[in-house]
């Protein structure tokens, strides 16, 4: 059985979401996409991803509030949430951390930085294809 770790990308910018999905697929991950808060919460509880990349500016509710919801539910509480944002203000990062985000990834980010964070949260064999 081929096992790939799964990442949920929560992003309302379709071009950027598609780019991220292609990249993550290339890195060896399965990718699920949600473009809004409600979809993100549903997808997370239904598919139990190994990690979530979460935009802040989203329709319906902001990424930090979605993160707080995920952290309030036992089924999704332990999934690491990486907040991706172009906001530079310290308050934005603080609110994201208060909501339970594991990490803040500032847009624009380099591929090196993205891989480094994925490796950190998905362990050294993450993203590799291996046979059980
Ligand atoms: Mn956005």
């Amino acid at each position: 059985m081929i096992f790939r770790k799964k990442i949920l990308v929560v992003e309302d910018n379709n071009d950027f979401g598609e780019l991220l999905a292609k990249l993550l697929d290339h890195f060896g991950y399965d990718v699920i996409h949600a473009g809004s808060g409600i979809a993100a919460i549903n997808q997370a509880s239904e598919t139990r991803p190994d990690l979530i990349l979460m935009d802040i500016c989203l329709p319906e509710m902001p990424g930090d509030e979605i993160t707080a919801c995920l952290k309030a539910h036992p089924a999704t509480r332990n999934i690491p949430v990486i907040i991706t944002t172009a906001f530079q203000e310290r308050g934005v990062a603080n609110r994201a951390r208060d909501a339970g985000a594991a990490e803040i990834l500032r847009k624009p980010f380099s591929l090196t930085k993205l891989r480094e964070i994925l490796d950190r949260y998905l362990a050294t064999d993450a993203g590799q294809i291996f046979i059980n």
Side-chain angles (χ1 to χ4, degrees):
M1 184 183 143
I2 295 171
F3 175 79
R4 282 157 62 107
K5 294 215 171 173
K6 198 166 28 182
I7 298 177
L8 171 61
V9 173
V10 187
E11 174 62 63
D12 63 331
N13 180 313
N14 282 333
D15 289 341
F16 186 61
E18 271 178 36
L19 178 65
L20 260 184
K22 282 199 178 113
L23 263 174
L24 296 171
D25 176 69
H26 178 72
F27 288 168
Y29 298 103
D30 278 345
V31 184
I32 315 149
H33 176 256
S36 71
I38 305 299
I41 290 166
N42 289 339
Q43 289 275 38
S45 49
E46 278 165 26
T47 66
R48 310 288 176 89
D50 298 289
L51 181 137
I52 301 174
L53 285 175
M54 175 85 68
D55 186 22
I56 287 208
C57 279
L58 292 160
E60 295 164 8
M61 62 201 288
D64 49 353
E65 281 182 30
I66 301 168
T67 302
C69 283
L70 294 171
K71 294 296 162 184
H73 289 88
T76 51
R77 175 172 298 156
N78 295 322
I79 306 170
V81 177
I82 313 299
I83 293 273
T84 60
T85 181
F87 289 121
Q88 296 296 326
E89 295 81 2
R90 187 185 300 237
V92 172
N94 287 345
R95 275 199 303 279
R97 284 191 200 285
D98 287 349
E103 195 97 30
I104 317 295
L105 183 56
R106 303 261 185 217
K107 293 173 180 172
F109 48 81
S110 68
L111 295 190
T112 312
K113 183 73 186 168
L114 177 62
R115 284 216 84 146
E116 178 196 308
I117 286 183
L118 296 178
D119 286 347
R120 193 179 320 150
Y121 288 92
L122 295 173
T124 47
D125 60 356
Q128 307 295 318
I129 294 170
F130 52 93
I131 313 293
N132 284 331

